[in-house]
Amino acid sequence: MEKYKEVIKELIKFRDERDWQQFHDSKNLALAISIESAELNEIFLWKKDNEVENVNPDKIKEELADIFAYSFLLAEKHNLDIFQIVLDKVKRNGEKYPIDKSKGTAKKYNEL
């Protein structure tokens, strides 16, 4: 938890030193997450099945860092505990995808 607080502190410091808070409303942070996610997808675009696991890990790290940074800032803006919201989602997914019906299949919960 301390590491997370340190990351948030550094993100806010970086943002505030540049007077970028004015641009970091919820809509723009959500759009930034989407755009950075698309950039992550681009790393894998046109790769064959045997190539996707061998892409440059530095490129993956770069895009994931952007996605996490904007996600953390959006969560902080709304006073959301990122760890709790993920745990809550895992619990809800566990209810939607019971092991006995979903193990070994990629079917969506309404197809099980």
Side-chain angles (χ1 to χ4, degrees):
M1 188 64 158
E2 289 302 316
K3 194 69 159 175
Y4 169 70
K5 288 180 181 177
E6 178 185 339
V7 169
I8 292 294
K9 180 180 171 188
E10 288 300 314
L11 284 169
I12 290 171
K13 178 181 175 210
F14 181 88
R15 177 199 69 195
D16 290 351
E17 287 175 342
R18 289 153 182 81
D19 193 26
W20 287 353
Q21 185 173 5
Q22 61 184 317
F23 308 117
H24 285 192
D25 58 56
S26 297
K27 174 194 67 107
N28 282 316
L29 289 170
L31 288 170
I33 294 165
S34 178
I35 291 164
E36 296 301 338
S37 296
E39 290 179 10
L40 176 63
N41 285 334
E42 188 177 27
I43 295 168
F44 299 98
L45 184 64
W46 311 123
K47 299 284 190 276
K48 295 183 178 172
D49 288 346
N50 62 341
E51 298 173 315
V52 295
E53 300 304 330
N54 296 316
V55 297
N56 185 336
D58 290 332
K59 290 182 180 180
I60 296 172
K61 288 189 322 189
E62 188 76 20
E63 300 309 333
L64 280 176
D66 289 337
I67 294 165
F68 290 143
Y70 290 127
S71 297
F72 291 168
L73 286 168
L74 183 59
E76 189 272 336
K77 181 174 198 57
H78 292 276
N79 298 312
L80 301 174
D81 178 331
I82 63 164
F83 300 107
Q84 191 58 54
I85 64 177
V86 170
L87 290 174
D88 291 346
K89 182 64 174 183
V90 170
K91 183 179 180 194
R92 285 193 308 276
N93 282 347
E95 293 165 0
K96 287 178 12 181
Y97 296 95
I99 295 169
D100 61 325
K101 292 183 179 179
S102 58
K103 189 170 186 172
T105 181
K107 290 182 180 178
K108 193 164 168 120
Y109 67 91
N110 59 359
E111 299 173 340
L112 296 174

